[in-house]
Amino acid sequence: MPLREIISANNALKFRKALLLWFVKHRRPMPWREKVSAYRTVVSELMCQQTQIATVIPYFNRWVKKWPDFKDLARSKESDVLASWAGLGYYNRARYLRACAIEISQLKILPTTAMEWQKFKGIGPYTAAAISSIAYDEPVAVVDGNVVRVLARIAGVKKVFSDGSTAVKYFTPLANHLVDVQQPGDFNQAMMELGALVCRKANPSCSICPVAQWCRAKKENLAESLPRFAPKKRQQAIVHRALIFDQDKLLLQRNPSDVKRLAGMAEIPEVDFLNNDFKSQKSWVRRRTIGSVTYEENINLITLNSSIRLKIKKQPTLEWVAFKHIKKAAITGPHLRWIEEWINLSDRPERGKAL
Ligand code: SF4
């Protein structure tokens, strides 16, 4: 049976009604819901990808205060945009957002449909559908991980998906069948909210679920086991880094703007430029995960000497940054945290004060 026939037109009507009633009562307050516009929707959707809502809210508020509209953002400097994004990760999102603002500020008419929004770099089908349905009431479904989970359970789909995007493609026709044509923005947000608050990955609250009567997984006692994904292959990598200070300055390595990962962002440099010609005074290990790779980062505190100074001069990607400017230097979130951690723990209190 085609997936969309699992819920008849009549039941789809009742499903929408029950879900929207629940959403009116249980929606969480979010700044982009208080005042809706295409710009605020684009900013919030890009910020919320791969990031927790509680983390996004203060970033969003600072962002829209600094750049209230596409035109303001179009006039920004990329370094300023990256510094304001620092800590949210996946920095290409910030770059795409600025590029999108530049393009849009040159248009006479704003794009309104998901098809039009998808033409901008960095705006995929999910974000385009969110923008067009929330800001322009286009009846297209938004399908993210939360919606996949709800639909897999509602339809009782036991198939094993190779990854999230395969599952999104699979459930999109059912999501479009269910979307409310009168209130598509609210419907989409309600589906995502249901996935986040009730139909959680672990311990779904089926007893209080507004759409439980149409849920096959609940009937079959399978809720927690759906959707099914093939196990991910995780990779590991080890990186050695050099933490080098010169008086009130710290050495950073800035990635060129054309690299794929972390373009334009600064980090604690890798030790490669020293050609093993260094002695670590002290070292410690930190871990972080990017995509499917877990990095073990060995950070070595290294004393600056004349030979190291010469090597630094030969590296165009290395730069000295004064402590007082560190927060504005577009440093990746984990590295900024580790630098601050070290400075706060160090026996050089004047460094802590400088931050
Ligand atoms: Fe999810 Fe349970 Fe609701 Fe089904 S009944 S949609 S499994 S919370």
Side-chain angles (χ1 to χ4, degrees), residues 150 153-154 194 198-200 204-206 209 211-212 215 217-218 223:
V150 172
R153 291 172 179 176
I154 292 287
L194 186 74
V198 177
C199 193
R200 295 176 302 269
S205 302
C206 301
C209 177
V211 293
C215 183
K218 179 177 182 279

Side-chain angles (χ1 to χ4, degrees), residues 80-284:
D80 203 6
V81 162
L82 291 175
S84 297
W85 198 273
L88 282 177
Y90 299 94
Y91 294 89
N92 272 342
R93 293 179 296 166
R95 215 170 275 109
Y96 292 147
L97 185 50
R98 181 171 169 272
C100 173
I102 293 170
E103 271 191 67
I104 286 187
S105 64
Q106 290 160 1
L107 299 176
K108 287 205 174 86
I109 302 169
L110 275 183
T112 55
T113 66
M115 290 295 278
E116 288 170 320
W117 278 101
Q118 268 191 73
K119 290 180 188 153
F120 295 92
K121 205 169 173 191
I123 298 196
Y126 159 81
T127 313
I131 300 163
S132 69
S133 65
I134 296 170
Y136 298 103
D137 285 333
E138 189 188 14
V140 286
V142 173
V143 188
D144 70 349
N146 280 328
V147 176
V148 162
R149 189 165 59 253
V150 172
L151 293 180
R153 291 172 179 176
I154 292 287
V157 174
K158 299 169 189 89
K159 178 181 164 68
V160 178
F161 296 98
S162 56
D163 54 31
S165 52
T166 316
V168 164
K169 272 190 200 138
Y170 184 86
F171 287 108
T172 297
L174 177 59
N176 277 320
H177 167 61
L178 289 175
V179 76
D180 190 300
V181 292
Q182 308 296 330
Q183 293 171 261
D186 283 349
F187 178 87
N188 284 329
Q189 292 184 83
M191 285 290 279
M192 292 188 275
E193 199 83 325
L194 186 74
L197 300 181
V198 177
C199 193
R200 295 176 302 269
K201 197 169 174 186
N203 300 318
S205 302
C206 301
S207 58
I208 56 157
C209 177
V211 293
Q213 62 179 297
W214 298 284
C215 183
R216 290 189 169 204
K218 179 177 182 279
K219 274 186 205 118
E220 296 172 33
N221 212 12
L222 281 175
E224 219 165 327
S225 72
L226 301 181
R228 293 181 178 157
F229 289 100
K232 270 189 197 160
K233 284 185 197 136
R234 299 216 69 85
Q235 291 168 274
Q236 299 242 327
I238 298 177
V239 185
H240 295 275
R241 299 198 179 264
L243 190 66
I244 304 177
F245 293 97
D246 183 7
Q247 311 271 345
D248 62 347
K249 292 195 280 296
L250 167 69
L251 187 70
L252 291 175
Q253 182 165 31
R254 186 156 314 271
N255 290 319
S257 55
D258 56 350
V259 296
K260 259 193 177 171
R261 198 173 75 78
L262 304 175
M265 299 298 294
E267 296 206 314
I268 304 167
E270 292 192 34
V271 294
D272 309 13
F273 76 96
L274 294 168
N275 302 323
N276 286 329
D277 176 21
F278 69 90
K279 205 171 151 207
S280 176
Q281 274 184 43
K282 192 171 167 182
S283 70
W284 68 98

